[in-house]
Amino acid sequence: MKKSSKKQLMLWSQLVFPSSDMSMSTSGALVPKNSTFPSGIKALADYVHSKGLKLGIYSDAGYFTCSKKMPGSLGHEELDAKTFAEWGIDYLKYDNCNNGEIKPTVRYPVMTKALRSAGRPIFFSLCEWGDMHPALWGYNIGNSWRTTNDISDKWESMISRADENEVYAALARPGGWNDPDMLEIGNGGMTKDEYIVHFSLWAISKAPLLIGCDVRNVSKDTMEIIANKEVIAVNQDKLGIQAKKVRMEGDWEVWAGPLSQYRVALVLLNRGSWRSAITAHWDDIGIPPSTSVVARDLWEHKTLKTIFVGNLTATIEPHACKMYILKPVS
């Protein structure tokens, strides 16, 4: 586990967690299932790295994983961390099942220490479901921490996870990120507009962008969302400051956060069932009131012709949003 002032791009897929087929050798080391990984996981990692990608793996801070069929890492963290490093693993998602009722604040730091001495930088993702508010203590333990319970592919689940995650916005910073769980985009349970809201909120919240759909069968609409470079750039901005919900009135919300180069990221969100005009006021989003601003629409991929002073208003469809970068006019 290594801290870095530079945020890594986190477009991971759940397909890269191969430990679901693991068992243990007589020495206690994890062994990949031969029929699934005939060449071993080291060979898989080498192949993935040759493509310019990184490989993640799944384990558990318990005696067994959540399936109760595979071994967890509790009690042999040092050996497992060394094994992951030898295999060439880049990312560890560390779950919280079958943990013997030992507090996560006791269990997770043991793997932190093991990863730090494993000989390879491995991104450490704490997945204890927000149980003991890991945003309050996770920065010295891991690189990201789940702030919520598991997400599902429904509007109500997605938007509630965004709400729960936003509470801890002030605690996210380079080297340690709030994680409201993976992206459901492409799984079919929400509309395209709702998935755009999903990606916009995760991006402006500086959350890890974990692809949760089958990347082998990605639709054009899904690819348009998860491959939006302008929105990803907001997520990756070097300031690493998580946006906050700065205004709420009924079903509409204004989310905003500072970016580098004196810019501001802005999301106007309509959570309701009717079209609504939503206004962002400069004094709510951290821009001096008399400042002239140019707005870049990140989903339309166009810079608006109007120069805005004091506020910006847009009409938003139900369960939809607009996302902008606001830049002062010199």
Side-chain angles (χ1 to χ4, degrees):
M1 194 277 288
K2 180 181 179 181
K3 289 292 179 186
S4 172
S5 61
K6 183 178 180 182
K7 186 177 183 185
Q8 296 182 18
L9 182 58
M10 293 292 296
L11 282 170
W12 301 85
S13 165
Q14 64 180 359
L15 292 177
V16 300
F17 298 139
S19 67
S20 59
D21 282 324
M22 286 187 185
S23 59
M24 293 176 116
S25 68
T26 54
S27 67
L30 292 170
V31 177
K33 188 175 181 179
N34 187 60
S35 60
T36 306
F37 304 102
S39 299
I41 292 180
K42 177 64 167 64
L44 175 63
D46 290 344
Y47 174 77
V48 169
H49 294 155
S50 76
K51 300 297 182 181
L53 302 171
K54 295 181 183 294
L55 184 68
I57 204 164
Y58 170 98
S59 190
D60 196 290
Y63 299 110
F64 298 93
T65 64
C66 294
S67 70
K68 297 184 180 179
K69 297 179 181 178
M70 305 298 163
S73 293
L74 185 61
H76 44 94
E77 292 88 350
E78 186 174 344
L79 177 57
D80 287 0
K82 182 179 179 182
T83 299
F84 297 149
E86 290 174 349
W87 284 345
I89 297 299
D90 304 292
Y91 174 102
L92 171 62
K93 177 180 177 179
Y94 205 46
D95 221 331
N96 194 34
C97 293
N98 304 301
N99 53 50
E101 298 186 0
I102 304 169
K103 289 184 177 181
T105 49
V106 174
R107 288 177 285 112
Y108 280 81
V110 181
M111 180 56 83
T112 303
K113 182 179 179 181
L115 290 173
R116 285 174 174 165
S117 60
R120 177 180 180 81
I122 297 177
F123 187 105
F124 190 24
S125 171
L126 314 182
C127 183
E128 60 91 87
W129 324 314
D131 177 17
M132 293 190 68
H133 308 288
L136 301 177
W137 49 267
Y139 186 79
N140 293 320
I141 307 301
N143 302 108
S144 66
W145 43 82
R146 280 278 296 280
T147 53
T148 72
N149 210 330
D150 291 351
I151 195 172
S152 62
D153 188 21
K154 299 177 181 178
W155 168 261
E156 294 78 10
S157 175
M158 180 274 292
I159 207 72
S160 68
R161 300 304 181 269
D163 290 340
E164 293 167 21
N165 188 68
E166 191 267 346
V167 171
Y168 301 105
L171 298 172
R173 55 203 188 276
W177 311 100
N178 292 321
D179 177 9
D181 206 2
M182 69 176 65
L183 298 163
E184 293 289 347
I185 301 158
N187 287 328
M190 288 183 264
T191 67
K192 184 177 181 181
D193 279 348
E194 290 172 338
Y195 281 140
I196 287 173
V197 170
H198 189 1
F199 201 66
S200 299
L201 292 181
W202 263 236
I204 202 170
S205 299
K206 304 300 188 290
L209 301 179
L210 296 153
I211 300 172
C213 67
D214 186 343
V215 296
R216 298 168 298 178
N217 299 290
V218 176
S219 70
K220 180 180 177 182
D221 281 351
T222 296
M223 185 58 70
E224 286 178 359
I225 297 171
I226 64 175
N228 187 323
K229 293 181 179 180
E230 294 189 79
V231 176
I232 292 171
V234 170
N235 180 263
Q236 295 291 296
D237 184 75
K238 64 183 181 181
L239 281 187
I241 298 176
Q242 180 173 330
K244 297 180 180 179
K245 197 185 304 186
V246 299
R247 195 75 179 265
M248 297 178 289
E249 290 191 23
D251 289 323
W252 66 256
E253 297 175 352
V254 177
W255 294 60
L259 300 174
S260 57
Q261 300 177 328
Y262 306 103
R263 300 168 301 152
V264 171
L266 174 67
V267 169
L268 305 180
L269 170 62
N270 181 5
R271 297 170 67 136
S273 301
W274 310 96
R275 295 179 70 198
S276 181
I278 302 177
T279 300
H281 296 277
W282 282 190
D283 58 352
D284 289 330
I285 63 178
I287 298 177
S290 62
T291 303
S292 298
V293 164
V294 63
R296 175 74 176 178
D297 187 319
L298 303 189
W299 289 106
E300 296 292 333
H301 300 291
K302 65 180 181 182
T303 301
L304 305 186
K305 295 180 180 180
T306 302
I307 300 298
F308 298 91
V309 181
N311 63 76
L312 180 154
T313 300
T315 299
I316 313 296
E317 297 296 325
H319 286 200
C321 72
K322 286 283 190 178
M323 187 173 187
Y324 304 99
I325 288 180
L326 306 182
K327 184 178 181 180
V329 177
S330 58

